[in-house]
Every structure is written in C-alpha cells, then in structure tokens.
Amino acid sequence: MCGIVGGVAERHIVNILLEGLKRLEYRGYDSAGVALMESDGSLKREREIGKVKNLAEAVAKSKVNGTVGIAHTRWATHGGVTKENAHPHMSNNDIALVHNGIIENHEVLRTELQAKGYEFLSATDTEVIAHLVHENRKSTDTLLAAVQKSVKQLDGAYGTVMMEPANPDRIVVARSGSPLVIGVGIGENFVASDQLALLPVTRQFIFLEEGDVAEITRDEINIFDADGNAVEREINESTVTHDAGDKGEYRHYMMKEIHEQPAAVRNTLLNRINADTVIEEYLGENAAEILQGIDHVQIIACGTSYHSGMVARYWLESLANVSCNIEIASEFRYRKSFVPANSLIVTISQSGETADTLAALRLAKEIGYKASLSVCNVPGSSLVRESDLAVMTNAGAEIGVASTKAFTTQLVALLMLTVALGKQKGMTAELQKEIVTALATLPNKLEETLTMAEGIEKLAEEFADKQHSLFLGRGEQYPIAMEGALKLKEISYIHAEAYAAGELKHGPLALIDAEMPIIVVAPNNDLLEKLKSNVEEVRARGGILYVFADKDARFKGDDTMRVMEVPHVDPIIAPIVYTIPLQLLSYYVAIIKGTDVDQPRNLAKSVTVE
Ligand code: F1P
C-alpha cells in the first residue's frame, strides 16, 4: 500500500527519494509524487499516475531538486487514481504533506475547513490534514506545535510527513496506526514507512511508536509522545540480511523468492535446532517461562499468513497436544469471543503491519490473553514490538506481492513453536527428534522440489485458457490447497477455490466437467486412501485431474489424470514441500497470461488499512 520517503540533508536528495519509492514499489500503488524544497524555501512538486518510472521521467524533465523533501506512492482509497489525488498535498503553498492510512473523520473536518474558506483540490482524506495543520499553524509558533494540535483532532490511522517553506530546514512527522521509521545519518536524516526504502543511505533506525510526533533537521531528531513529552527512542542497527536488491537472473521477484526458499529456510532454522530438539531460547529470554503455563493457542492472521496458521493448528493439536483455534483477523477483531484460561495469542504476518492483525493483537491483550507471540518477517515492525515474544522468520525482504518464502518460513517457525510448546505438554524425545531431523533435511528437499519447475512450466499451458479451477487436499494439506488456490487467483486472475477433499460431494462435485481443472495435493500420509476415493469421484464425472503426489502414493497417470511426482519426505514437513509446486504452477500460468506477476492488479503487499 502507500509508501512514504522523506529527508533533510545538505546534498540534493531527489534521487534518494526516488530510489526509496522504487524500493517501496512492491507494496502496490497506483500513483507517485514528490515535493522538494531548496534552502531558500522555494517549493516544487511533481506527481504522476502509474509507475515511479513516470515520476522519475517528469522529475528529470522539470529538474525538480532540493535538500529537503517528501515523496509518496499512493494506493487509492478515497478518490480515484488521478494526478490531483496523488500526494504530496499542499495547503496554500505553505505546507506540503504525504500520508499513509485513512482519516475516518475526514468528512466532518472537510466541512469545517471549507466553512473557514479552504478550497479542496482533491477527493482525498489526506488533503484534510494539510488544511487542518495550516489552520492550526495560525495559532501556533511552530509546525511541530501545529501538528501536535492537529493530531488530536484526527480519527483513524496515519503516518504523515510534512514540511513548510517558512522553515525550510526541517520536516515534521507523526505516527498513529501506520508505521514510520526514522533513518539516522551523519549530517542528514531521513524518514520512511519501511526501512527498506532507506537502506542505501543508512542502517541506523528509530522506530516511532504510536502517538509519536517528531521534528527532524539535519542534525537533530526531537521526538514527543502523544502527551507532548520529549522522549528518547532507541537507535537500532538494521538486521535486514537480504537487501531487496535486484531480481538477479530472474524475470520476477516472485520467481527469485520461490528459489530463495531453501536458503531462507536454512536461515529460519539457524541456531534454533540441534540434533535432538528445538532450542527454546531463540524465542526470547523468558520464552520457556511464558510457554509453560499455556493450555490454549489462538492464532490470528490474514491471507497467506492465515493459511500457515491453519497448518499450525493441525500440528499444535496432533503433535503438541495443545488446543488451538484460528481466525481471520478482520473477523476476530469485530466479534465478542471467548477467551479460554491460559491462552496464548499468536499473530502471523509477513509484514508485521497488517492493520487487522495488529488491531486483533491489541484487542486480545485487552480481553485477557495471557501472553502474545508473533511470527513475523520484519524486525522492528509493530507486531514484533507489541508482542511478548517474536519468532522472526528471517526470510529476507519479500518483494513479490504474492507471498512465497514468507509462507514456507512461517511454517518452519510454527513447527519449531509446536516443538517448544509440545515439550511443555510432554512431547516425547523421539517425536522432538523426528521433527527436528525432518526440518534439518528440509532445505535440501526444497531444492530437489524446485527441479519440478520445467515439468510444471509445461503443465501450465493446459491452464492458461481456463476460467475456473478447484484445489483439493486433506488434513494439513487442505490449507496448502487453499494457499495454492490463493496464489493462482492473485497472480493469474483465474478463479480458484480450495476444498477439503471430503467436502466434494457436499456441493462442489456439481461443478466438475472437462473445463474445470482439479489440482490435488497427495503426499503419502494416513489420509491417502481417503483422498484416492475422492479423486475417483471426480474422475467418474469427467473431471481432469492434476495430482501432485509422492511416488509411493502409486497414482497412475492417463488422459484424465496428470501425475507430478514430488520428492518423498516425512509427512510432518510435507505441507511445506507441497507448497512449492503450487507456487510454480501459479507463476507459470501467470507468465502465459502475461499478468503483472510481482504487482498483481488491485493488490497491495502490506495491507495497512482495514
Ligand atoms: C497478509 C497478506 C499477504 C498477501 C498480500 C496481502 O499480509 O494477506 O498474505 O500475500 O501480500 O497481505 P501479512 O500480514 O502476512 O504481512
């Protein structure tokens, strides 16, 4: 979703801002803009719809530059995709600002400000902030004071950065519900909605907290909490190990990230397992103590992360003997739910900034969950900071909107968590050893599975003209079927639905004909014979099957059933391995269809509005 970059320097920074925006492109956006200020206070702005490339061309033409500036990629919420609605927004040439989030009381504020004579030039909620700050600036000595006054009048979520030509040596930022990070430099300072944007200029970051307002100059960063008290916030050295970098030998980030999975999983496992078990300390200093009293786990997540949580439910109940529920964050946060005694809330999120997941965590803390744990890929993100324990997936930056390596590393982290909790519930030493042994083999198994790519590329040709598809799995492979269907939807725009195979005859069987490809995930586990019966039900009705199966599962391919052999693995880690061919399938289908694989239409990487 929207991205922010800003900076105060001695050098001209337009290229730093544009590079920052490019690094945020992966989040999904539909227009981009930049405003720069020279030290004499002259203010210039460029905005373009479409890609950052268009903005860069406009900037090159108009030669806009300056030492202080703000930039933005917009993902439309209020107001269509137009140049007028793109940020930065200005109030009477006196204030320029960019904003992520949604101002919920924008209508009321707009009416009030219009009555005071402000003319609105866009349909955005953001422009309200610009005029509100402008109005409050009339009765305050500084922009900082005007922002502190204004944020008290705003409802909703914002990460906002602004500047005024009257004081061209500073920017003012405010955070509530939408992340902002300050990049600390030498004789220059920056701000962004995601540290990735600033990695070319610094690795020193201050993560602003909820309610913080800060004034930033070249040499000073003054931060104030929601009550207006000056506060010190720690400077963190960035631990982002893989820079987003370029696509290397790959055509798309998604394919690069699919192929990074063996290395990413190695990283997730690093120093966290030994030959016998999981080393609990990796979860945090007092992890063992917190997990000890836990009798129930409630998992909360959205999208792909929800699917990894669904697999974890099977693992936690069958392997760790801990009761577990899972719910989509946007549902959980708006219903009254029962909190069993000694419950742990587990949030799962690649970004750690998904608005619904974050709100659900905050609610869980309020309603009596004993402790919170987050499985997350972004260090310093809101979920990580607000949870008692965090298990980092360490997958490196994920740029493709459709999540791949974040998902498989989440599964690895969740399987390790299963062992850690299982130990508290009497999991046998043999089972602990079986799980860590299987995990240790996983990176090589994933490498082996990736060699299926060529065969799947051919298979994809049979899908490209289809309108619909059905994915089937049973047990912990059911969520993998769901994830496969989601991937196909997201990047190839083919309607895909997943069913627990046992549900087929309760409705979806009516859909089966030769135009409906049916994809089946079939490892050699104790549900195999049941699954085979479901496959026969489809075959008997003229359906065309594509079965991803263990060779010992003995499926016989023919005209109506294509069988793709997946490497043999311990059934415990099979959900992780079977994810790979489904990712590859959706990728190759999308290539044939010519879609924008890394930034599929209408989607955003980090869903920071509800
Ligand atoms: C959740 C999610 C992703 C999906 C897309 C939109 O994000 O649904 O799973 O791939 O990027 O957001 P997160 O909470 O895991 O960051």
Side-chain angles (χ1 to χ4, degrees), residues 156-177:
Y158 51 83
T160 178
V161 182
M162 60 196 87
M163 55 187 192
E164 57 173 5
N167 289 288
D169 62 340
R170 62 199 58 213
I171 56 178
V172 174
V173 312
R175 174 204 164 134
S176 181

Side-chain angles (χ1 to χ4, degrees), residues 307-308 311-312 314-315 407-408 411 415 442 446 474-481 483 521 523 525 569-583:
H307 295 151
S308 73
V311 177
Y314 285 92
W315 284 337
F407 177 69
T408 42
L411 289 173
L415 190 48
L442 183 59
L446 294 177
R474 292 192 81 126
E476 63 272 35
Q477 293 289 343
Y478 167 44
I480 300 307
E483 174 58 11
V521 267
N525 62 16
V569 288
D570 186 313
I572 294 175
I573 56 164
I576 312 174
V577 171
Y578 279 70
T579 301
I580 308 289
L582 302 189
Q583 293 171 344

